[in-house]
Structure formats: C-alpha cells, structure tokens
Amino acid sequence: MRGKFVTVEGIEGVGKSTNIDFLSSIIEAKGFTVLRTREPGGTPMAERIRQMLLEHGEEPLPDIAELLLFFASRSLHISNTIRPALAAGQWVVCDRFTDASRAYQGHGRGLGLERINLMAQWVQEDLQPDLTLLLDAPVELGMARAKKRGAADRLESEDAGFYQRVRDGYLGLAAAEPERFAVIDASRELEQVQAAITLAINRLLSNS
Ligand code: TMP
C-alpha cells in the first residue's frame, strides 16, 4: 500500500523542526515507517541546489532563477526520494514543499500563482500532499525566534513586510484548500500545538 505524504509549512521560527520530530514519532508509534526529508534538498544534488539558494552568493539571484532552482530541486527530490519511498509503503514527512514556492515566491516575491501552479503540474504530475500542516504564528514572533538561531541565510535576511506577505499567502492557500490543510496556531504552548498535530494525523488515518 502507498504511504502517506505529509508536508509541513510555515514562516521561519514557528517551530517546524521540533514539531516534525513529534509528528514523525506519532506516525511511527502507529506502526508506519517514516522517511523524513526537506526542501530545498532531500537528495545529494538537491542539497547542492539548497546551498546555492540559501548562501549569500557572489551574484544577484533573479526571482525567476530562484523559483526555477526551487523547482529543479523539487523535481530531483520527487523522482529520487519521495516517489520511491511512497511506493515502498513508507510515509514521507517533508519540511516544506510546493506551498512554500507559492507563499515565498508567489506572494513574498510577487511572482503570482499562475506560473507556479503550471510548474507544479509539470514537476509533480499526480503527486499531491495528503495532508499539509501549516504552523502559523505572527511574523514578529517567528522573526524573534529565528534570530536566536544565529547568522541569517539569504532568505532569512528578508524584512518583516516580506514575511507578512508570506504568512498571509499561506493562510490564503489554506483557506482555498481546507480539506488538505490543517492550520495550527503555533503561538500556543507546545502541548497544545502537539495535541492539534495529533488530531490532524488521526483525522487523516480515519479518512483513509
Ligand atoms: P528552511 O529549510 O530552513 O526553512 O529554509 C528554506 C528556506 O527556503 C526558507 O526560507 C523558505 C525558502 N523556500 C522558498 O522560498 N521556496 C520554496 O519553494 C522552498 C521549499 C523554500
């Protein structure tokens, strides 16, 4: 039986890593094997593309080139990691996926959703997440938490206005596809956030 594909989204500093640890552990406790992966990245070549995207490079990166690099990385990731794992019956838990391109490049950079959705069709074909957890928190909270992690990468160096567009973009995507998204208020205590995550996974299991 094909495994489930779960993606986790949100602006920086909303606690993705901690909550992905928790999410993976509850899926494993239900007896499934979990492949935990991330975007950009998730294969050796895609990780090299990640480096190009996050470093402060030696030349300006046009928005379109940025978008194409995210999709190049995604194409490698889907073919070489995600599809084989799902076909082998594993669950795939992915830290960011195409919704990040919609929110960051589509809304944050202002590229719009039309060409991103076109590229998504091309690169993903029939592959869609079964569930997308959107960890949502106010921009000021996320940025304050992210700052504590140390030196900012190229995307973390964007201003609050950019992150506000990204957050609003994510919330708009979730409102448009309520059956795929679970929006989780990540500004609450960890216990409450984790209870909401457990509920979303139980719902996914009971619907399948
Ligand atoms: P992270 O894995 O530490 O969250 O870093 C990935 C960064 O890349 C993060 O700032 C979000 C950004 N990103 C995009 O802008 N578009 C995308 O499609 C993806 C997957 C990530």
Side-chain angles (χ1 to χ4, degrees):
M1 211 177 78
R2 177 191 178 274
K4 298 275 181 212
F5 182 29
V6 181
T7 61
V8 181
E9 300 281 355
I11 58 170
E12 348 290 298
V14 290
K16 272 190 299 115
S17 304
T18 312
N19 286 306
I20 288 174
D21 287 344
F22 173 75
L23 170 65
S24 305
S25 73
I26 58 172
I27 299 169
E28 278 164 354
K30 291 181 189 295
F32 301 103
T33 305
V34 174
L35 178 93
R36 189 182 154 160
T37 185
R38 68 173 179 185
E39 288 208 348
T43 82
M45 276 175 71
E47 289 290 331
R48 298 214 304 266
I49 297 176
R50 176 187 178 88
Q51 222 177 339
M52 296 193 329
L53 279 160
L54 298 190
E55 71 194 6
H56 296 274
E58 63 270 66
E59 66 188 80
L61 184 58
D63 292 347
I64 301 278
E66 181 185 83
L67 178 67
L68 291 168
L69 285 171
F70 278 115
F71 270 99
S73 142
R74 182 161 301 131
S75 173
L76 289 160
H77 192 207
I78 290 172
S79 295
N80 300 339
T81 301
I82 298 175
R83 283 193 193 278
L86 292 173
Q90 295 177 5
W91 281 48
V92 174
V93 171
C94 190
D95 183 342
R96 300 191 185 282
F97 193 61
T98 305
D99 295 309
S101 298
R102 296 187 175 104
Y104 282 76
Q105 282 67 51
H107 291 278
R109 301 276 189 235
L111 292 180
L113 293 188
E114 207 176 317
R115 55 188 140 187
I116 296 178
N117 287 336
L118 206 65
M119 244 183 276
Q121 269 173 24
W122 195 28
V123 168
Q124 289 170 231
E125 297 175 352
D126 60 335
L127 179 74
Q128 296 296 341
D130 296 295
L131 170 69
T132 299
L133 297 175
L134 172 58
L135 299 174
D136 178 62
V139 169
E140 312 76 66
L141 189 75
M143 287 185 91
R145 283 196 201 148
K147 242 186 216 131
K148 288 194 196 137
R149 290 199 295 239
D153 64 34
R154 197 178 57 82
L155 279 138
E156 286 166 347
S157 307
E158 293 295 335
D159 61 16
F162 176 85
Y163 279 105
Q164 192 61 55
R165 291 195 294 283
V166 174
R167 182 192 183 197
D168 294 343
Y170 269 133
L171 290 171
L173 294 171
E177 277 189 82
E179 60 303 325
R180 172 165 71 87
F181 275 88
V183 181
I184 297 184
D185 176 357
S187 64
R188 294 174 298 174
E189 292 298 320
L190 192 58
E191 258 173 38
Q192 289 171 292
V193 174
Q194 295 186 339
I197 292 175
T198 306
L199 199 69
I201 291 296
N202 288 343
R203 198 170 303 141
L204 174 63
L205 280 168
S206 65
N207 287 345
S208 51

